[in-house]
Amino acid sequence: MQLNAAERELTLKVVYYGPGLSGKTTNLQAIHARLDPNVRGRLMTLDTADDRTLFFDMMPVFFQTASGLKVRLKLFTVPGQAMHDSTRRLVLQGVDAVAFIADSQINQSKANNAYWSDLLKNLQQNGISPGEIPIVIQFNKRDLPETRTDEEIEGLRLKGKEPIFSAVAIRGIGVLETLHGLMLLTFARLEKKLDFGRKFGVTEEEFMRGIFRNLDLEDSDIEAAFG
Amino acid sequence: MDGAAIMWDRPPPLKELVDIGSLAEVCRSFAELYGIGVRVYDVDGARLVDLRMGNIDFCGYVFGKAKGQHLCTATVQEIKSSSFRSASGDPRHEAIVRHTCFTGLRYLTLPLLHEMDLLGKIIMGPFLPDDLERLPDELCSISQDFDSEEATRLLSGLRRAPEETIRKVLAQLGSIIEVMVHSGYKVHLTSTMHIESVTATHHELLDKNQRLEESLDKLRELDRLKSNFLATVSHELRTPLTSIIGYSEMLLEGLVGDMSQEQRQHVATIMAKGDELLQLIVSILDISKIESGTVSLMPVELDLIELTETAVSTIKPHAQKKHLSIRTHLARELPVLHADKDKVRQCIVNLLANAVKFTPDQGEIEILIEPYVGARRHAPPASASDSGYFLFEALDEEFIRITVRDNGIGIDSKQKERIFDTFYQVDSSSTRAFGGAGLGLSIVKAYVEAHGGEVWVDSAPGRGSAFSLLFPAGREANSKAQSIAGSS
Ligand SMILES: Nc1nc2c(ncn2[C@@H]2O[C@H](COP(=O)(O)OP(=O)(O)OP(=O)(O)O)[C@@H](O)[C@H]2O)c(=O)[nH]1
Ligand SMILES: [Mg+2]
């Protein structure tokens, strides 16, 4: 996180993490498609010929809150292929919030677990304690057969402390909800760490509206909140 | 802070993001097409591109007057230092800015942004706005001798256009440069990331190598301990065993009184098994000496006939039990062989014992000793400075070849590679069927190689085996084996 108090500028780094092919890049694409072009930069993808992410994807989003705080949100994805472990660690440097994109397919459970502990390990190696950083989990590919059942996911939701979202990223379902959940946690973290609201005169509502008024929320669960 | 952390930060300066030559080319094509000058400054005010079009004569004329020079400098300064930062501080909301010169000429400036960061600015101008009807008074009064006819004539070199048009042109140029910046930034990120991940991987490898080396050292130490242990244990076993054999011998020879036929037989078995055990222990001792590198050779000129006879006589009793024949063929003309007598004999004995073990009753075993001229099969690693070997092709050398051939069960090709390994058995069942601990052949290999020779086996399942030993002929072998490494 970079905070330039004099310029009232805040830069937040959000990383989409998860096993290979779980849909990290698809999440970013879905957000990109729903964002007002005036507030976002290009979606930069650094990938190989077969659409696997090679280093990362990155999309900057800029917005200004009503009270004049300029926020740039930089959304990144990591490469999911096992061999890029050191790249995943590099991309995680200085991260402010993580969306963990799990693949709902039953045969991907092992990969989900492996990358979850990989995430915790890489956070620690970057000097970030996993308990202190906002993390949400998304179970993607809910449209496929042979996936974890809703009951199973409900069970996980009750067990863990991270908020869990279900998604079909390829159709944009659940993507904005995931980002919304993560931004709520991020604001709470800023409040706690920096006494953000008081110092910059930004309320949670204003912060969230700053981002989400620029997004096409049609058909999403959060539509009502910003209506 | 390392490179990767920097890359999440602001982008690098404009001149690092785009190739200045290409930037100038793009600007030139616009400047020439529209006949209007283009300048590009980076965020620190350094000029990266400077293209003038059609204004040189007019501006030169004006600059020639003292007051003109003064006003001109001030205008240039104003354009250069004008900031895009508005009250809200957000450059995105600033579009193109107009600057009007005291001459009535006009400049337009456009901020060059990348992801909300100001990287620099593009200035287009001067041009003659088409709404300028006549020369401004401020210009006409810069000096007494100002010639407005001449000035108007010089002005015709400049492009006259509506400001709205030039605004569009500038916006167009801006978006092209913005694309260049974006690609440049992408290349910058990719290469930074590439270097970072290669560096990270390199460090990980170094780490792993370090750990591997440490565990290798540990293993070596364990291996050395194992060899020492084997040597000590074997030695301790041999002492009581010699007594067992010695006392059995005394019993058999009737030195302490007569025994019944049955008793004699039992004692003979005790003695025979004791001998077997002793041989095994001796082999283990040999191996542990080889593995600890403490074997030394004592080469002498060998009498191969005598050597072969003693070797055969050692093995004969075992061969007779299985009714195996052993025949020896010595070539008439043999080169001199300098080698360690005991070691060479033991090689032959080991091969014979092996042959006896794996040849069915009534089989045949042959020993051939002959000169051999040829290239080594496993040429030692050659270097350009090696006198004995070419880099790619081994030279022929002179050897004495000792072959022990049998018509036993044979060995398949997969196992040929491994039978010389310490403790290797073709399969663990052969230990039970044929006895032995798989030490004989590895001892042979180590001894032959210590003499600078080679071993190999020609064999096929069911077709017998032929083990060949090559000893370099004539040469004085080193009295010390520099390194007889274990063949495991
Ligand atoms: N059926 C289905 N397919 C999806 C969904 N989301 C993504 N996919 C597909 O899964 C594949 C991989 O998606 P990506 O977004 O490239 O995955 P990734 O996590 O970025 O993969 P890496 O870059 O290799 O780590 C693509 O073919 C997507 O179309 C979904 O919700 N349902
Ligand atoms: Mg991807």
Side-chain angles (χ1 to χ4, degrees), chain A residues 19-26 46-47 51-54 56-57 77-80:
Chain A
L21 297 175
S22 66
K24 302 176 288 297
T25 301
T26 309
L46 307 181
D47 52 15
D51 283 345
R52 304 300 304 270
T53 302
L54 184 57
F56 53 78
D57 305 303
T77 72
V78 297

Side-chain angles (χ1 to χ4, degrees), chain B residues 390-411:
Chain B
F390 285 122
L391 214 44
F392 301 110
E393 190 184 340
L395 281 181
D396 282 353
E397 285 175 78
E398 213 183 321
F399 297 97
I400 290 174
R401 175 182 184 174
I402 302 176
T403 310
V404 175
R405 178 182 296 150
D406 64 54
N407 60 354
I409 58 172
I411 305 158

Side-chain angles (χ1 to χ4, degrees), chain B residues 120-375:
Chain B
K121 67 172 123 182
I122 314 170
I123 302 171
M124 205 159 196
F127 64 96
L128 201 56
D130 67 347
D131 52 7
L132 188 75
E133 312 256 287
R134 53 185 197 84
L135 298 181
D137 294 341
E138 196 182 4
L139 172 62
C140 296
S141 64
I142 52 169
S143 80
Q144 240 100 67
D145 60 352
F146 183 80
D147 180 346
S148 50
E149 242 171 68
E150 170 68 355
T152 311
R153 193 182 63 77
L154 292 175
L155 265 185
S156 66
L158 276 116
R159 166 87 187 226
R160 178 183 273 271
E163 182 180 313
E164 199 44 42
T165 309
I166 306 306
R167 275 181 183 266
K168 282 184 189 148
V169 172
L170 180 55
Q172 181 73 14
L173 175 61
S175 64
I176 290 177
I177 294 177
E178 199 241 330
V179 170
M180 290 176 75
V181 167
H182 178 75
S183 333
Y185 190 49
K186 186 164 170 174
V187 169
H188 165 78
L189 285 185
T190 311
S191 57
T192 312
M193 208 57 209
H194 188 80
I195 293 169
E196 287 297 321
S197 64
V198 167
T199 312
T201 310
H202 175 71
H203 285 302
E204 273 164 32
L205 279 181
L206 282 184
D207 256 23
K208 282 202 177 120
N209 276 347
Q210 171 82 22
R211 264 176 283 142
L212 277 179
E213 239 158 62
E214 281 163 12
S215 52
L216 185 64
D217 283 347
K218 251 183 232 152
L219 282 178
R220 283 214 183 98
E221 175 64 10
L222 277 178
D223 199 49
R224 203 182 56 75
L225 288 177
K226 181 207 74 179
S227 296
N228 281 352
F229 174 77
L230 276 180
T232 318
V233 168
S234 311
H235 187 76
E236 294 302 321
L237 286 175
R238 197 160 57 161
T239 321
L241 193 55
T242 3
S243 306
I244 292 173
I245 295 172
Y247 281 103
S248 316
E249 213 166 2
M250 283 185 347
L251 282 174
L252 270 184
E253 280 170 14
L255 292 179
V256 284
D258 288 338
M259 288 187 293
S260 70
Q261 183 63 24
E262 212 185 345
Q263 284 170 328
R264 288 179 63 84
Q265 242 169 25
H266 287 184
V267 174
T269 309
I270 291 174
M271 224 183 91
K273 293 292 166 196
D275 256 336
E276 253 173 51
L277 194 53
L278 188 60
Q279 285 318 310
L280 180 61
I281 290 167
V282 169
S283 297
I284 292 177
L285 261 177
D286 289 341
I287 281 290
S288 54
K289 274 191 201 148
I290 289 169
E291 286 184 344
S292 60
T294 54
V295 174
S296 54
L297 299 181
M298 288 194 286
V300 292
E301 192 179 324
L302 292 191
D303 178 346
L304 283 166
I305 304 182
E306 186 212 311
L307 188 85
T308 321
E309 274 171 6
T310 41
V312 170
S313 68
T314 316
I315 224 75
K316 200 131 208 173
H318 302 277
Q320 276 165 352
K321 267 189 233 157
K322 294 176 78 176
H323 308 289
L324 304 173
S325 71
I326 301 183
R327 279 184 299 170
T328 310
H329 305 281
L330 262 94
R332 221 169 279 156
E333 295 274 322
L334 275 175
V336 186
L337 174 57
H338 279 279
D340 186 305
K341 190 172 154 189
D342 288 338
K343 306 267 185 305
V344 176
R345 195 197 49 222
Q346 203 188 330
C347 287
I348 302 177
V349 169
N350 285 6
L351 290 183
L352 285 173
N354 208 57
V356 167
K357 214 189 298 176
F358 294 107
T359 306
D361 287 6
Q362 259 109 41
E364 283 170 17
I365 296 170
E366 261 182 319
I367 307 172
L368 289 104
I369 301 184
E370 61 199 342
Y372 178 93
V373 176

Side-chain angles (χ1 to χ4, degrees), chain A residues 81-102:
Chain A
Q81 288 176 90
M83 60 181 168
H84 298 310
D85 185 44
S86 55
T87 309
R88 279 193 288 282
R89 193 161 56 247
L90 287 169
V91 175
L92 273 184
Q93 280 183 354
V95 65
D96 298 301
V98 177
F100 185 87
I101 310 300

